[in-house]
Amino acid sequence: MSTAAFFYISVMKQENAEIVQGLRRRNPDLLDQLIERYHYRLMRYLLHLTGNRETAEDVFQETWVRVLERGHQYNGKAKFETWLFSVARHLVIDLFRKKKPASLEVLRGSGEDTGPIEIESTGQPSPFEFAVGREESAHIGLAMGHLNPVYREVLMLRFQEELSLNEITRVVDAPLPTVKTRLYRGLRALRSRVEEAGLESEKS
Amino acid sequence: MKRADHQRAQQFIDACQVEGISPEERTWLDSHLSACEPCSQHAGATERAIQAFRSVHIDTDPALVQATQARVRARAREIHEEAERMRPVWISAVLALVVTVASAPYIWQGLEWLAGKFGAPAWVFQFGFFWFWLIPCLVAAAALAGGLLGEQHAERFQVK
Ligand SMILES: [Zn+2]
């Protein structure tokens, strides 16, 4: 192992140990810092998962309350964000169980081949339409909005969060072959959506 | 080139992104891509799709972060106050249990003596002793019920 990798792992372990201790003591200052540090990534994950800003914001708050209440369950062995995302994911599943059982099946993975689903239609633009930074971002945002959430979730964990396959299995609570299948199918779907979006933007 | 070669190349292109490929597979893929235009285009499209996905930016509301921090702090205070409220109850329950265990032989003898003095049958003092033993359990049950009621109250409190 290189010195840099060893240094990185030691720093990460030290950080995780501090988070474990702070969460056990329910230290509000630590929670303030964690909310500040992880708010963007958690919100991005929830938007990918729910496809709805209002729902994502509700679950966002609920997730941090849950982190406060059940913080003692985080043991520091995995990255904090993998535990955070799995807490958020459980809350989304609970919410869908109450609201729309069909959406829940898709998140559980049993509806993987059913194509895109409408989790909630509010008549407002998809959160991915708020994508900025590139000219074709509106088209890309639309393309993302049309991806099946179960694919969007693993693609986000792999390509934005840069999690390993094993870390993804922990977040989505699914076996490795399932995660790989979702990633391969998601990548295929993403490629064709982005190509279509590219063609659309060239036309317009 | 055979059709199977193109299929293999395109599988490797996806596998590179998902789970990685071996150095031998990499060498084979590179040599195939240098000679095959459609597979090169496929590799380019895959790269562009992932770049596009990575470039998606989400707007976040600073007010949401502040509201969440405030809510978490309020809940932390509630949990702390709840624990403080329950502490004397638990201490009393533990003390009651200790006193009961320590004084059991004396209570048994005392009740036996009383029963003998008044000519009551043995089951009367045994029944009395049974209730004496039950008191700490009842206190503990009351403490637990109090705690649960407190938690339910706290849950109601956090519903928006
Ligand atoms: Zn080829």
Side-chain angles (χ1 to χ4, degrees), chain A residues 17-86:
Chain A
E18 280 168 17
I19 293 175
V20 168
Q21 281 211 331
L23 288 181
R24 279 203 187 136
R25 287 201 302 263
R26 296 205 171 105
N27 179 350
D29 293 332
L30 173 89
L31 275 143
D32 269 2
Q33 287 170 24
L34 292 176
I35 295 169
E36 194 76 50
R37 199 195 304 173
Y38 290 99
H39 81 275
Y40 180 82
R41 292 161 70 184
L42 178 61
M43 198 57 199
R44 181 172 64 181
Y45 175 66
L46 286 168
L47 280 172
H48 277 293
L49 197 58
T50 64
N52 179 279
R53 182 167 287 275
E54 205 181 319
T55 309
E57 287 183 352
D58 284 349
V59 180
F60 177 88
Q61 289 207 0
E62 214 53 61
T63 302
W64 287 108
V65 172
R66 193 60 69 91
V67 168
L68 170 81
E69 290 171 344
R70 310 248 173 111
H72 58 272
Q73 289 173 354
Y74 173 60
N75 59 19
K77 284 180 186 157
K79 284 181 190 163
F80 175 70
E81 55 266 40
T82 59
W83 183 73
L84 179 68
F85 292 154
S86 74

Side-chain angles (χ1 to χ4, degrees), chain B residues 10-146:
Chain B
Q10 292 181 10
Q11 273 168 9
F12 282 171
I13 288 165
D14 287 5
C16 278
Q17 306 291 345
V18 172
E19 53 186 319
I21 54 174
S22 70
E24 295 77 29
E25 289 167 339
R26 179 86 251 175
T27 311
W28 181 89
L29 178 64
D30 287 344
S31 81
H32 180 90
L33 291 183
S34 64
C36 177
E37 183 56 27
C39 287
S40 273
Q41 278 178 5
H42 184 85
T46 307
E47 207 54 55
R48 278 194 301 280
I50 291 170
Q51 280 311 315
F53 190 77
R54 284 192 172 125
S55 75
V56 171
H57 178 86
I58 303 295
D59 284 340
T60 55
D61 184 0
L64 176 69
V65 173
Q66 283 159 12
T68 308
Q69 286 171 331
R71 198 176 151 196
V72 168
R73 275 187 180 270
R75 181 75 188 116
R77 263 197 308 277
E78 266 174 36
I79 293 171
H80 180 73
E81 282 164 12
E82 184 65 24
E84 288 290 306
R85 200 171 63 82
M86 290 306 291
R87 188 176 294 161
V89 181
W90 283 112
I91 291 171
S92 313
V94 170
L95 276 178
L97 185 71
V98 169
V99 169
T100 309
V101 171
S103 60
Y106 305 106
I107 299 289
W108 178 274
Q109 282 168 8
L111 288 172
E112 197 174 28
W113 177 80
L114 269 179
K117 191 168 170 58
F118 292 104
W123 68 264
V124 173
F125 93 82
Q126 283 164 358
F127 186 72
F129 187 78
F130 166 77
W131 275 103
F132 165 75
W133 258 98
L134 210 63
I135 289 168
C137 303
L138 291 175
V139 171
L144 193 66

